C-alpha cells in the first residue's frame, strides 16, 4: 500500500535525480568562457533605435487594438482605430522597404523612421558623405508622389 511518506520520498528522490542530471549536462562557466563569441554585425545605435521604435509602435498598436475590442466604443471610433492600425502597418512596410533599398543600393546599414511627411534616416558609415546623403534622399523621394521632408544622418 502506498503511504504519504512513500509518495513524498519518491517526489523528493525524482527531484534530486532531475537536478543532478541538469547540473551534469549544463556546461560550466569555464567551458562557456572558452567558447567562441558571436559578434553582432549591426551597430548598437541602429539596434537601440529599432528597439525604441518597436516599443513605441507596439504600445500604439495595443492602444488601437484595445479600442477595437472595446464594448463601449462606437463604430466610428472602431473605424478610425482600424484605419490608423492599417496606416501603421503600411508605414512599417515602407520603412523596411527603404532600409532594404539603402542596403542594396549603397551597401549601408540604416534605420528609417517615417512620421507623416517626415522621413528620418540614420545611416551607419565611417565618414559623412553629402553626395551619398543627397543620392539617398533623391532615391527615397522617388518612391513617393507627394514631397517628403527627408533627413539623413551618418553615425
Amino acid at each position: 500500500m502506498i503511504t504519504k511518506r512513500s509518495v513524498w520520498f519518491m517526489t523528493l528522490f525524482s527531484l534530486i535525480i532531475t537536478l543532478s542530471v541538469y547540473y551534469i549536462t549544463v556546461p560550466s562557466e569555464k567551458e562557456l568562457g572558452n567558447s567562441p563569441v558571436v559578434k553582432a554585425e549591426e551597430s548598437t545605435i541602429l539596434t537601440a533605435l529599432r528597439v525604441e521604435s518597436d516599443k513605441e509602435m507596439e504600445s500604439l498598436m495595443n492602444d488601437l487594438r484595445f479600442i477595437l475590442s472595446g464594448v463601449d466604443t462606437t463604430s466610428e471610433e472602431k473605424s478610425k482605430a482600424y484605419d490608423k492600425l492599417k496606416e501603421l502597418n503600411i508605414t512599417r512596410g515602407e520603412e523596411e522597404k527603404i532600409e532594404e533599398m539603402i542596403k542594396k543600393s549603397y551597401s549601408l546599414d540604416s534605420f528609417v523612421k517615417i512620421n507623416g511627411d517626415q522621413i528620418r534616416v540614420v545611416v551607419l558609415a565611417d565618414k559623412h558623405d553629402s553626395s551619398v546623403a543627397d543620392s539617398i534622399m533623391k532615391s527615397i523621394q522617388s518612391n513617393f508622389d507627394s514631397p517628403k521632408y527627408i533627413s539623413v544622418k551618418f553615425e
Side-chain angles (χ1 to χ4, degrees), residues 8 10 20 27 35-36 38-39 48 64 78 98 105 112-113 116 129 131 140 153:
W8 274 106
M10 291 304 291
S20 300
S35 61
V38 178
K39 293 185 179 178
L64 292 171
K78 287 183 179 184
I98 292 171
S105 300
V112 176
K113 180 69 177 168
D129 190 350
S131 63
I140 291 172
K153 181 180 178 183

Side-chain angles (χ1 to χ4, degrees), residues 122-141:
V122 178
V123 178
L124 187 62
D126 293 335
K127 64 178 188 171
H128 307 296
D129 190 350
S130 59
S131 63
V132 171
D134 186 50
S135 180
I136 289 173
M137 286 189 276
K138 286 179 182 177
S139 59
I140 291 172
Q141 183 59 56

Side-chain angles (χ1 to χ4, degrees), residues 2 7 12 25 27 40 44 47 77 104 107 129 132 134 149:
I2 299 177
V7 170
L12 289 174
T25 58
T44 56
T47 304
E77 291 172 330
K104 190 186 303 180
S107 299
D129 190 350
V132 171
D134 186 50
Y149 301 102

Side-chain angles (χ1 to χ4, degrees), residues 26-74:
V26 171
S28 68
E29 289 182 20
K30 289 181 183 177
E31 292 172 355
L32 289 176
N34 294 335
S35 61
V37 176
V38 178
K39 293 185 179 178
E41 294 202 11
E42 195 170 38
S43 166
T44 56
I45 295 169
L46 296 181
T47 304
L49 289 171
R50 281 200 181 89
V51 167
E52 180 184 335
S53 176
D54 288 345
K55 282 183 182 178
E56 179 183 306
M57 179 75 72
E58 190 63 33
S59 173
L60 187 55
M61 289 178 117
N62 284 338
D63 292 345
L64 292 171
R65 287 184 192 120
F66 181 75
I67 292 171
L68 285 173
S69 64
V71 178
D72 297 335
T73 55
T74 65

